[in-house]
Amino acid sequence: MMKRFTIHFLAAILFLAGYSDIQAQSSYQKPPKSITDLVNAPSTPSVSFSKNGDWMLLLERADNPSIEDLSKPELKIAGLRINPATSGPSRGRGTENIKVRMTRSGEEKQITGLPGKPDMGSFSLSHDEKYLAFTQTESNGISLWVVDLGTFEAKKLTDAIINDVMGNSLVWTPDNQILVKASNPSRGAMPQRPAAPSGPIIQETTGDAAPSRTYQDLLSDPYDEALFAYFMNTQLMMVNLDGTKKAIGSAGMIKSMDLSPDGSYIMVEQIRKPFSYLVPANRFPYDVQIWDKSGKNVKTLAEIPLDENRPTGFDATVTGPRNISWRADKPATLYWVEAQDGGDARVETEVREIVYTLAAPFTAQKSKLATTPYRFAGIAWSDDTFAIMNERWSRSRKEVRSVINPSDPNQAKKVIIDRSSDDLYNDPGDPLYTENEFGRNVLLRKGDLVFMTSPGGSPEGNMPFLSTFDTKTKEQEILWRSQAPYYERVVKVLDENGSEFITIKESTDIQPNYWLVNTRKRMAPVQVTNFAHPYESIKGIQKQLVTYKRNDGLNLSAVIYTPAGYDAAKDGPLPVLMWAYPREYKSKEVAAQVRGSKYAFTRLSWGSPIYWVTRGYAIMDQTEMPIVGEGDKEPNDYFIDQLVANAEAAIDHIVELGIGDRDRIAVGGHSYGAFMTANLLSHTNLFAAGIARSGAYNRTLTPFGFQYEQRTYWEAPEVYFNMSPFSFAHKVETPILLIHGQADNNSGTFPIQSERYYNALKGHGATARLVFLPNESHGYAGEESILHTLWEMDTWLEKYVKNKNEIKKETE
C-alpha cells in the first residue's frame, strides 16, 4: 500500500512540477513520442488526372515549415499577408516533387530538372496537356517553370518576376503561351517608412451607415497605403516556351486577369484609389476592363466603387455588376449579375437579381439572361440551349437549381431542385463536368440527363453515389453507390455513359487510394495507386459512429475512437476527449441527420484530437452540437440551453456505453469550437477540463454579426451578452487551456479575445493557462508550434483529466 501511495504521490508531484511555474516555461516542447511520430508521418501525394484519365500527376507536398520560416519578414496590409522578398504570399506549404503515373499500367515517371530547393505551386496544364506550368518560390522572388510532358523534363522559363500577391498569377493561351502577372519592372525600390509621420491619421463618416465585420490586417496609415500600391504594381506579360516574353498592356494595380475561352480577350480587374482602412483589398474600388490580346482596352465594363457601405446580413451584397465571368461554352461572351434590391436583403421584391450577358466585340447593350428572387450563386454551362442556374438564400438555407435556355431568355426557367442546403439526406449531389473545345469545364450530360455525384447522406452515415438526374422528370437514377465497409466516391467519369470511372476508396484502416471501375464490363475494379498507410501505430484503433437523443428528442451523432484491443466490459471506462464545433439549423429534422462516415479513413490533421487515442483516451469526435431555430425563431436565441443539452446527451451516451468515465471528460474545440468550449465551462460543471484554441469570447468585439448571427449587437444586445463567455468568466470553475496564434488573421478571432478572456478568468480566480504561439495564424503551421500545441494539450489532459482522481486523492 505504501509503495502504491509513493508511486501515485510521485506522479502527482511530477504533474504539478510541470506546471508549477508557468511563466518560466518559454521554450518549445514536444509531446510524447506516440504523438510526435504521428505528426511526422509522411503526407500522401495529391492527385490530378488528365482529361481522359490515362495518366495522373502526383504532387508531393513539403513538410510543415519551421518557426524560422514563419518568422521571416511579413507585411500585414489590406487583409493580405505578403512576403516582401518575393511579392507573393508569406505563408504556404509548397510542393517538393512531381511525378506522372500511368493509370492502367502503373508506370511512374519522375520529372527531372526540378528546382534545387523546390517550393512549387500554381500548377496549370496547357489545353493540349503537353505542358505543365508552375511557379517556384525562391529567396528573392517567384519564377515561372514548365514541364515538357513528352520528355518529363522541367526547365526554368523566367527569373523571379511573378507577382502572386493576390494569386491567379498565370494562365495558358490556346496556342501554348503563358500569360502571367509580373511585378512591374519599373516599380523601383520598396518604400521606406518615414522617420516621422506627416500628420495625424484621420477617418470621417458623414452619416452613411457602413457596418462591417472585424477584419484583420487592414491598412492603418499612409505608409501602409504606399506599400500596398507598390506590391500591387503589376505588369501582364506573355511568356513563350523558349522563355522570351513581352509586356501586355499598361502596368497597374492588377488584382486578377482571365482569358476568354478562345484566347482573344483578357478580362482585367484593376484596383484604384481611394483605399480603405475599414475593409480589405477585395473590397477596394476597381475597374473591370476587357483588353484585346495586344493589351488595348476595348471596353471598360464596370467601375466598381469602394465597398464600405454594404447592408448587414449574409444575404446582403453590393450594387452594380458582380461575379463577372466568361461563359465556358462561348468563345468570348461575358455574364454577370446585378442586384435589384440595392444589395439589401430586407427589401421585399419579386426580382432580386438579374443576370446579364454581353458578347464580343462588346459594343452592344447588355442582354438579360435570367432573373431570381434570391441571390445568384453561379451558372453551370453546357451549350447554347442548356445551362443550370444556382440560387441561394442564406437566411432560410434555401437552395434552388433551374434549367435555363441561354439562346431564349424569354423561355421560363425550370426549377429542378428546391431544397435546404443543410439537408444531407435529400441532397441529389453536384453536377460532374467535362472539358470542351476551349478547355473549359462544362456539364457532363447526355440529353436531358446530367451526371451527378452526391455524398449520399443517410441514417447510417454518408454512402456516396454516382447518378444521372433527369432534368425533365426530376427523377434520379443511381448508377453506382459506395458499399460497406468502405467509403468510396467517384472523382472522374471516363465515358459518356457513366459506366467507367475513377474512384477514391478508403476504410477505417485502409489508406485512400484510387481505383478504376467499369460497371458495364463487370470486371473487378483495378487499383491504380498504392499509397502506403502513414499511421501504422494506430492501425488497430476502433471506430464507431454512434447516435443518441437529446432531452427534447432530437437525434444526435458522434464518432467514437478507442485504443486498439479495448473492451469496455473488461477494461472499464476511459478518460474522454470530446471535440466539437456547433452549427446552426433552421429545421429540427435536418439538424437530426447523421453526418460523416464510420468507414472513412482516420486521417490526422495538425489539430486532430485523435492523437490521444494513443495515450489511452476515448475520443468523441465530430460530436454534433446543433442549435435550432425554426421559422421566425433565431437559433442563437436558444444557444446556451441547446448547447448544454447537446453536451449532456453526449456525456450520458458515452458513459452508458461503458466507454467514458463521467468524472474524466474534457471538451475542446478550435475557433467556434473554442467559443463553444468556453460557453460550456461558463454554464456547467460537466467537464473535468476544457481546451479552447483560437476562439472569440467577447461578442461585443464582433458587433455587426458573427458565424450565422446576422443581427447586430444593437439589434440583439442580450444575445451578444449571453453568448459571450467573457460575460460569465466569474462562473468558470473548470480548468481551461487557451491557445491562440499571435498572428491570427481570421475575422473575429483577434488574439486580444484570448488575452482579455484570460485576464477575466485570472481576475476571478479560475484555473486557466494562456499560450500565445508567435507568428502563427488562425490555423497553426510551424512544426515547432504544432508540436508545442500538442504538448500543451497532452500535459493539460494528463493533469486535469486522466490523473484527476489520483492527484486529488494524494493531495487531500
Side-chain angles (χ1 to χ4, degrees), residues 252-278:
M253 291 185 286
I254 298 174
K255 71 172 184 175
S256 73
M257 52 88 176
D258 188 19
L259 276 175
S260 61
D262 67 356
S264 297
Y265 297 94
I266 311 167
M267 181 172 65
V268 177
E269 294 183 347
Q270 290 204 65
I271 292 176
R272 66 177 191 278
K273 293 185 176 181
F275 302 147
S276 172
Y277 291 12
L278 294 177

mmCIF file of all heavy atoms in Angstrom, residues 252-278:
data_model
loop_
_atom_site.group_PDB
_atom_site.id
_atom_site.type_symbol
_atom_site.label_atom_id
_atom_site.label_comp_id
_atom_site.label_asym_id
_atom_site.label_seq_id
_atom_site.Cartn_x
_atom_site.Cartn_y
_atom_site.Cartn_z
ATOM 1 N N GLY A 252 -0.387 48.345 -63.727
ATOM 2 C CA GLY A 252 -1.373 48.901 -62.813
ATOM 3 C C GLY A 252 -1.521 47.991 -61.603
ATOM 4 O O GLY A 252 -0.816 46.983 -61.470
ATOM 5 N N MET A 253 -2.448 48.345 -60.734
ATOM 6 C CA MET A 253 -2.701 47.518 -59.552
ATOM 7 C C MET A 253 -3.673 46.401 -59.940
ATOM 8 O O MET A 253 -4.853 46.410 -59.591
ATOM 9 C CB MET A 253 -3.239 48.376 -58.416
ATOM 10 C CG MET A 253 -2.209 49.334 -57.847
ATOM 11 S SD MET A 253 -2.791 50.264 -56.401
ATOM 12 C CE MET A 253 -3.904 51.441 -57.169
ATOM 13 N N ILE A 254 -3.154 45.425 -60.680
ATOM 14 C CA ILE A 254 -3.976 44.366 -61.267
ATOM 15 C C ILE A 254 -4.201 43.268 -60.224
ATOM 16 O O ILE A 254 -3.244 42.639 -59.766
ATOM 17 C CB ILE A 254 -3.317 43.795 -62.528
ATOM 18 C CG1 ILE A 254 -3.179 44.901 -63.581
ATOM 19 C CG2 ILE A 254 -4.129 42.620 -63.071
ATOM 20 C CD1 ILE A 254 -2.409 44.487 -64.819
ATOM 21 N N LYS A 255 -5.456 43.060 -59.851
ATOM 22 C CA LYS A 255 -5.723 42.023 -58.855
ATOM 23 C C LYS A 255 -6.088 40.696 -59.498
ATOM 24 O O LYS A 255 -5.902 39.639 -58.890
ATOM 25 C CB LYS A 255 -6.805 42.466 -57.870
ATOM 26 C CG LYS A 255 -8.219 42.546 -58.385
ATOM 27 C CD LYS A 255 -9.171 42.803 -57.204
ATOM 28 C CE LYS A 255 -10.614 42.794 -57.619
ATOM 29 N NZ LYS A 255 -11.535 42.919 -56.459
ATOM 30 N N SER A 256 -6.616 40.700 -60.726
ATOM 31 C CA SER A 256 -6.924 39.431 -61.390
ATOM 32 C C SER A 256 -6.965 39.631 -62.893
ATOM 33 O O SER A 256 -7.152 40.748 -63.387
ATOM 34 C CB SER A 256 -8.259 38.862 -60.903
ATOM 35 O OG SER A 256 -9.348 39.592 -61.414
ATOM 36 N N MET A 257 -6.776 38.534 -63.618
ATOM 37 C CA MET A 257 -6.901 38.543 -65.077
ATOM 38 C C MET A 257 -7.397 37.165 -65.502
ATOM 39 O O MET A 257 -7.130 36.157 -64.851
ATOM 40 C CB MET A 257 -5.568 38.900 -65.732
ATOM 41 C CG MET A 257 -4.373 38.088 -65.278
ATOM 42 S SD MET A 257 -4.106 36.567 -66.217
ATOM 43 C CE MET A 257 -2.574 35.961 -65.506
ATOM 44 N N ASP A 258 -8.157 37.149 -66.610
ATOM 45 C CA ASP A 258 -8.710 35.884 -67.091
ATOM 46 C C ASP A 258 -8.888 35.975 -68.596
ATOM 47 O O ASP A 258 -9.489 36.921 -69.103
ATOM 48 C CB ASP A 258 -10.050 35.597 -66.405
ATOM 49 C CG ASP A 258 -10.577 34.209 -66.725
ATOM 50 O OD1 ASP A 258 -9.772 33.356 -67.150
ATOM 51 O OD2 ASP A 258 -11.788 33.976 -66.564
ATOM 52 N N LEU A 259 -8.366 34.997 -69.306
ATOM 53 C CA LEU A 259 -8.502 34.947 -70.765
ATOM 54 C C LEU A 259 -9.893 34.484 -71.155
ATOM 55 O O LEU A 259 -10.498 33.631 -70.489
ATOM 56 C CB LEU A 259 -7.492 33.969 -71.346
ATOM 57 C CG LEU A 259 -6.069 34.452 -71.623
ATOM 58 C CD1 LEU A 259 -5.226 33.274 -72.090
ATOM 59 C CD2 LEU A 259 -6.050 35.551 -72.675
ATOM 60 N N SER A 260 -10.410 35.022 -72.255
ATOM 61 C CA SER A 260 -11.638 34.477 -72.820
ATOM 62 C C SER A 260 -11.353 33.055 -73.288
ATOM 63 O O SER A 260 -10.208 32.696 -73.581
ATOM 64 C CB SER A 260 -12.114 35.339 -73.984
ATOM 65 O OG SER A 260 -11.149 35.376 -75.017
ATOM 66 N N PRO A 261 -12.370 32.198 -73.375
ATOM 67 C CA PRO A 261 -12.126 30.803 -73.776
ATOM 68 C C PRO A 261 -11.368 30.652 -75.094
ATOM 69 O O PRO A 261 -10.578 29.711 -75.241
ATOM 70 C CB PRO A 261 -13.543 30.226 -73.861
ATOM 71 C CG PRO A 261 -14.304 30.993 -72.823
ATOM 72 C CD PRO A 261 -13.758 32.396 -72.913
ATOM 73 N N ASP A 262 -11.588 31.568 -76.057
ATOM 74 C CA ASP A 262 -10.865 31.449 -77.328
ATOM 75 C C ASP A 262 -9.520 32.161 -77.310
ATOM 76 O O ASP A 262 -8.791 32.149 -78.310
ATOM 77 C CB ASP A 262 -11.725 31.963 -78.482
ATOM 78 C CG ASP A 262 -11.980 33.473 -78.416
ATOM 79 O OD1 ASP A 262 -11.560 34.113 -77.431
ATOM 80 O OD2 ASP A 262 -12.617 34.010 -79.354
ATOM 81 N N GLY A 263 -9.179 32.807 -76.192
ATOM 82 C CA GLY A 263 -7.887 33.467 -76.059
ATOM 83 C C GLY A 263 -7.785 34.823 -76.726
ATOM 84 O O GLY A 263 -6.697 35.406 -76.786
ATOM 85 N N SER A 264 -8.908 35.379 -77.210
ATOM 86 C CA SER A 264 -8.868 36.643 -77.949
ATOM 87 C C SER A 264 -8.868 37.863 -77.042
ATOM 88 O O SER A 264 -8.431 38.942 -77.462
ATOM 89 C CB SER A 264 -10.058 36.735 -78.907
ATOM 90 O OG SER A 264 -9.999 35.709 -79.874
ATOM 91 N N TYR A 265 -9.402 37.719 -75.836
ATOM 92 C CA TYR A 265 -9.551 38.860 -74.943
ATOM 93 C C TYR A 265 -9.066 38.513 -73.539
ATOM 94 O O TYR A 265 -9.036 37.334 -73.147
ATOM 95 C CB TYR A 265 -11.010 39.319 -74.878
ATOM 96 C CG TYR A 265 -11.560 39.806 -76.198
ATOM 97 C CD1 TYR A 265 -12.249 38.928 -77.035
ATOM 98 C CD2 TYR A 265 -11.382 41.123 -76.608
ATOM 99 C CE1 TYR A 265 -12.763 39.362 -78.263
ATOM 100 C CE2 TYR A 265 -11.894 41.571 -77.814
ATOM 101 C CZ TYR A 265 -12.568 40.682 -78.640
ATOM 102 O OH TYR A 265 -13.063 41.120 -79.842
ATOM 103 N N ILE A 266 -8.723 39.551 -72.791
ATOM 104 C CA ILE A 266 -8.294 39.399 -71.407
ATOM 105 C C ILE A 266 -9.185 40.271 -70.537
ATOM 106 O O ILE A 266 -9.288 41.483 -70.779
ATOM 107 C CB ILE A 266 -6.825 39.830 -71.208
ATOM 108 C CG1 ILE A 266 -5.913 39.201 -72.252
ATOM 109 C CG2 ILE A 266 -6.354 39.477 -69.797
ATOM 110 C CD1 ILE A 266 -4.523 39.826 -72.304
ATOM 111 N N MET A 267 -9.849 39.669 -69.569
ATOM 112 C CA MET A 267 -10.596 40.456 -68.586
ATOM 113 C C MET A 267 -9.651 40.807 -67.449
ATOM 114 O O MET A 267 -9.062 39.920 -66.822
ATOM 115 C CB MET A 267 -11.806 39.682 -68.061
ATOM 116 C CG MET A 267 -12.620 40.493 -67.054
ATOM 117 S SD MET A 267 -14.183 39.706 -66.581
ATOM 118 C CE MET A 267 -13.565 38.246 -65.745
ATOM 119 N N VAL A 268 -9.506 42.094 -67.168
ATOM 120 C CA VAL A 268 -8.548 42.578 -66.182
ATOM 121 C C VAL A 268 -9.292 43.379 -65.122
ATOM 122 O O VAL A 268 -10.114 44.240 -65.452
ATOM 123 C CB VAL A 268 -7.470 43.466 -66.843
ATOM 124 C CG1 VAL A 268 -6.520 44.027 -65.795
ATOM 125 C CG2 VAL A 268 -6.698 42.677 -67.892
ATOM 126 N N GLU A 269 -9.017 43.080 -63.872
ATOM 127 C CA GLU A 269 -9.569 43.848 -62.759
ATOM 128 C C GLU A 269 -8.435 44.661 -62.137
ATOM 129 O O GLU A 269 -7.451 44.090 -61.650
ATOM 130 C CB GLU A 269 -10.208 42.929 -61.717
ATOM 131 C CG GLU A 269 -11.446 42.209 -62.235
ATOM 132 C CD GLU A 269 -12.121 41.353 -61.178
ATOM 133 O OE1 GLU A 269 -11.491 41.119 -60.127
ATOM 134 O OE2 GLU A 269 -13.258 40.911 -61.407
ATOM 135 N N GLN A 270 -8.572 45.997 -62.169
ATOM 136 C CA GLN A 270 -7.532 46.890 -61.662
ATOM 137 C C GLN A 270 -8.056 47.697 -60.487
ATOM 138 O O GLN A 270 -9.045 48.429 -60.607
ATOM 139 C CB GLN A 270 -7.068 47.850 -62.757
ATOM 140 C CG GLN A 270 -6.269 47.192 -63.859
ATOM 141 C CD GLN A 270 -5.364 48.197 -64.565
ATOM 142 O OE1 GLN A 270 -4.440 48.739 -63.972
ATOM 143 N NE2 GLN A 270 -5.623 48.445 -65.837
ATOM 144 N N ILE A 271 -7.378 47.582 -59.357
ATOM 145 C CA ILE A 271 -7.730 48.368 -58.175
ATOM 146 C C ILE A 271 -7.347 49.829 -58.391
ATOM 147 O O ILE A 271 -6.342 50.137 -59.038
ATOM 148 C CB ILE A 271 -7.018 47.789 -56.934
ATOM 149 C CG1 ILE A 271 -7.591 46.405 -56.590
ATOM 150 C CG2 ILE A 271 -7.151 48.724 -55.730
ATOM 151 C CD1 ILE A 271 -6.882 45.716 -55.447
ATOM 152 N N ARG A 272 -8.168 50.703 -57.855
ATOM 153 C CA ARG A 272 -7.860 52.132 -57.915
ATOM 154 C C ARG A 272 -8.115 52.756 -56.539
ATOM 155 O O ARG A 272 -8.745 52.150 -55.677
ATOM 156 C CB ARG A 272 -8.703 52.836 -58.985
ATOM 157 C CG ARG A 272 -10.174 52.862 -58.705
ATOM 158 C CD ARG A 272 -10.961 53.646 -59.763
ATOM 159 N NE ARG A 272 -12.328 53.887 -59.341
ATOM 160 C CZ ARG A 272 -13.321 53.031 -59.440
ATOM 161 N NH1 ARG A 272 -13.110 51.848 -59.979
ATOM 162 N NH2 ARG A 272 -14.531 53.344 -59.014
ATOM 163 N N LYS A 273 -7.636 53.935 -56.333
ATOM 164 C CA LYS A 273 -7.874 54.649 -55.089
ATOM 165 C C LYS A 273 -9.269 55.256 -55.105
ATOM 166 O O LYS A 273 -9.852 55.425 -56.173
ATOM 167 C CB LYS A 273 -6.811 55.732 -54.901
ATOM 168 C CG LYS A 273 -5.416 55.151 -54.665
ATOM 169 C CD LYS A 273 -4.409 56.248 -54.365
ATOM 170 C CE LYS A 273 -3.040 55.643 -54.031
ATOM 171 N NZ LYS A 273 -2.038 56.677 -53.700
ATOM 172 N N PRO A 274 -9.858 55.585 -53.942
ATOM 173 C CA PRO A 274 -9.246 55.585 -52.607
ATOM 174 C C PRO A 274 -9.242 54.196 -51.973
ATOM 175 O O PRO A 274 -10.147 53.399 -52.183
ATOM 176 C CB PRO A 274 -10.162 56.529 -51.825
ATOM 177 C CG PRO A 274 -11.516 56.321 -52.446
ATOM 178 C CD PRO A 274 -11.238 56.115 -53.914
ATOM 179 N N PHE A 275 -8.196 53.940 -51.194
ATOM 180 C CA PHE A 275 -8.143 52.726 -50.404
ATOM 181 C C PHE A 275 -8.991 52.907 -49.147
ATOM 182 O O PHE A 275 -9.527 53.976 -48.895
ATOM 183 C CB PHE A 275 -6.700 52.392 -50.019
ATOM 184 C CG PHE A 275 -5.775 52.228 -51.192
ATOM 185 C CD1 PHE A 275 -4.434 52.590 -51.095
ATOM 186 C CD2 PHE A 275 -6.238 51.717 -52.394
ATOM 187 C CE1 PHE A 275 -3.572 52.442 -52.171
ATOM 188 C CE2 PHE A 275 -5.382 51.560 -53.479
ATOM 189 C CZ PHE A 275 -4.052 51.929 -53.367
ATOM 190 N N SER A 276 -9.077 51.852 -48.370
ATOM 191 C CA SER A 276 -9.909 51.896 -47.165
ATOM 192 C C SER A 276 -9.135 51.391 -45.964
ATOM 193 O O SER A 276 -8.299 50.486 -46.088
ATOM 194 C CB SER A 276 -11.162 51.050 -47.360
ATOM 195 O OG SER A 276 -11.894 50.922 -46.157
ATOM 196 N N TYR A 277 -9.439 51.959 -44.785
ATOM 197 C CA TYR A 277 -8.897 51.477 -43.523
ATOM 198 C C TYR A 277 -9.922 50.613 -42.789
ATOM 199 O O TYR A 277 -9.670 50.166 -41.676
ATOM 200 C CB TYR A 277 -8.504 52.645 -42.625
ATOM 201 C CG TYR A 277 -7.299 53.451 -43.089
ATOM 202 C CD1 TYR A 277 -6.768 53.300 -44.366
ATOM 203 C CD2 TYR A 277 -6.701 54.368 -42.247
ATOM 204 C CE1 TYR A 277 -5.681 54.044 -44.779
ATOM 205 C CE2 TYR A 277 -5.598 55.127 -42.649
ATOM 206 C CZ TYR A 277 -5.103 54.954 -43.928
ATOM 207 O OH TYR A 277 -4.014 55.701 -44.337
ATOM 208 N N LEU A 278 -11.080 50.374 -43.431
ATOM 209 C CA LEU A 278 -12.164 49.623 -42.786
ATOM 210 C C LEU A 278 -12.382 48.240 -43.370
ATOM 211 O O LEU A 278 -12.909 47.357 -42.696
ATOM 212 C CB LEU A 278 -13.474 50.406 -42.876
ATOM 213 C CG LEU A 278 -13.559 51.731 -42.117
ATOM 214 C CD1 LEU A 278 -14.909 52.380 -42.381
ATOM 215 C CD2 LEU A 278 -13.363 51.493 -40.631
#
